[in-house]
Amino acid sequence: MSNQINGGRGRNNALSSVDFYRRIPRDLTEATALGAFMSVCAMAVMAVLFLSETAAFARTNMSTSISVDENTQPEIRLNFNITVMDLHCDYVSVDVWDALGTNRQNITKNVEKWQLDDEGRRRIFAGRNRETREVRHDDHDMTLEEMHETDGVHAIELDNNNFDSWIEKNEMAFIDMYAPWCVWCQKLAPTWEQLAKEVRKEGMPVGIGKIDCVQQADLCRKEKVMAFPTLRWYHSGEMVAPDYKMDRTVTALLGFAKRKLDMDEKFKEWDKKQGSSVDEEVRERKKQLYQQNRPEHPSCQVSGFLMVNRVPGNFHIEAKSKNHNLNAAMTNLSHVVNHLSFGEPMKTASRKTKRILKQAPDEHKQFSPMDSHDYVTIDYHQAFHHYIKVVSTHLNMGSSTANSMLAYQFLEQSQVVHYDEKDVPEARFSYDLSPMSVVVQKEGRKWYDYMTSLCAIIGGTFTTLGLIDATLYKVFKPKKL
């Protein structure tokens, strides 16, 4: 029995020899006012540092780094919504070119057009951008000069001197505004002469005229001729919009003139029945309806998206038509960028995307810096060119893929480019993708780092203030006599 007791005591003594926290008997300790004060200070310091460290642990930081872009996607989505202020939707063409040799003209897929009124509101949906139908032309056995020699001149040549008096003299007038160098105008010339001959033969009260816009440039500029040929109907000296844009055959043109005359007769019959009792505003509205007069404001909103290769390239909005030659002197590519971005559109983003963007810093949200900017040119033969540098941005707001997304920021420079008098301006957007990417990462402290800091605070504060207490105690301890 005694041997077992002695053996147990030996094991306890051996275990106690490695005790780091040995106890000092209370009888050997001395409590002092200085010690109490330092203890209070120690607890206060520990409390402040504990709260500060806990707040730092709960707070996250954003770090930014640059790395080589590892995105292997062959294409990138380009979203756009642009309003061309002074160009009709019929003449708006969206083209794409890039360094790989891609050259797509008048892109129709995923592109929509809206005709706008003079206040910038959507008025007519021009529909999906579609291939323009080629108008038909008549083939003639004789040239225009041979027609003049055989039957004389029937279409009246107009200029600044006789234009106003001629359209006042002719209540109904149909005018071809052309340029001699325009191939479509050259095809139309004998047809127009034949139309004038048929109108005179049938005794139709319609004046058929033509204007050479090269010789009469001021007159055509005054009439805002944007393309050749422009076939315009006039009634009582006022133009009737829209311009004629259907087939250019004698049958089609003659049928158009007859329909205009029939509608005018119907309006006169209605006006005669109403007499003087009808309100003038109602009468004018009815007149516009019978004349099929729909005033057009040359403004077009073109929007959609393009899938472009991840190489340097450009997309441009150009004034172009299959059936016309554009008048370079009257082509104005002033525009408003309502929206321009790369990648998936943010407005239709998922909850995940919205959550990530809410956490991202504002300086890393340059996804569409051109939005709602106007680019206006005042002089002729000018257009804005935009140069865009696109940078892939990885937003990592957590350790899982559910908190990560890829976006595209870009920087932009714009300048006015001057064109030769014979060249038609275009609004060009040149883009280039950077080989580097920006990584924006949300960083927080690990739990073991937090626990280590807390232990350091407690131990460090206790030890430091203990040393201070010991020093002060030795200094101020009463000396023995």
Side-chain angles (χ1 to χ4, degrees), residues 25-227:
R26 182 177 294 272
D27 294 341
L28 299 179
T29 60
E30 179 183 3
T32 63
L34 178 61
F37 174 75
M38 297 304 294
S39 298
V40 172
C41 291
M43 288 187 290
V45 171
M46 288 181 189
V48 171
L49 294 178
F50 172 79
L51 294 175
S52 301
E53 190 67 20
T54 302
F57 174 72
R59 186 170 57 248
T60 56
N61 297 321
M62 292 292 176
S63 66
T64 304
S65 60
I66 297 176
S67 63
V68 176
D69 190 4
E70 298 179 352
N71 194 331
T72 58
Q73 295 177 355
E75 293 182 324
I76 182 174
R77 173 170 169 156
L78 192 160
N79 313 289
F80 65 94
N81 185 329
I82 298 170
T83 298
V84 186
M85 300 180 186
D86 198 23
L87 189 64
H88 196 281
C89 281
D90 290 346
Y91 305 136
V92 172
S93 174
V94 179
D95 304 340
V96 170
W97 176 93
D98 65 35
L100 291 180
T102 302
N103 188 5
R104 293 183 287 164
Q105 299 186 1
N106 193 27
I107 295 175
T108 58
K109 186 177 181 180
N110 302 317
V111 177
E112 294 182 351
K113 295 177 181 176
W114 282 87
Q115 196 70 35
L116 307 182
D117 61 15
D118 54 357
E119 295 183 2
R121 295 174 301 196
R122 290 180 175 182
R123 189 174 68 86
I124 299 176
F125 179 51
R128 292 278 184 183
N129 186 33
R130 53 190 180 274
E131 289 289 339
T132 306
R133 183 184 70 88
E134 291 190 14
V135 301
R136 292 184 296 168
H137 292 78
D138 278 338
D139 294 324
H140 298 273
D141 297 331
M142 294 188 293
T143 64
L144 180 63
E145 291 74 17
E146 291 173 343
M147 286 182 173
H148 288 168
E149 291 177 1
T150 304
D151 300 321
V153 178
H154 295 88
I156 306 301
E157 192 76 40
L158 302 175
D159 55 30
N160 263 318
N161 297 322
N162 64 357
F163 176 76
D164 292 333
S165 59
W166 186 82
I167 61 172
E168 287 180 6
K169 176 183 175 182
N170 293 275
E171 182 184 7
M172 303 283 190
F174 203 9
I175 301 177
D176 170 24
M177 302 174 185
Y178 69 96
W181 50 263
C182 166
V183 294
W184 308 109
C185 302
Q186 295 167 10
K187 284 186 175 182
L188 177 64
T191 300
W192 198 254
E193 181 64 24
Q194 185 66 31
L195 171 67
K197 180 180 176 181
E198 292 294 328
V199 166
R200 183 175 296 183
K201 180 180 177 180
E202 296 191 15
M204 297 169 61
V206 179
I208 304 297
K210 58 183 180 179
I211 302 174
D212 183 346
C213 287
V214 174
Q215 298 295 327
Q216 306 298 325
D218 291 339
L219 177 57
C220 289
R221 190 175 295 114
K222 172 186 169 186
E223 294 299 309
K224 298 182 178 179
V225 177
M226 301 186 68

Side-chain angles (χ1 to χ4, degrees), residues 293-305:
N293 189 358
R294 302 190 306 273
E296 288 190 315
H297 185 266
S299 181
C300 181
Q301 184 183 84
V302 54
S303 62
F305 69 90

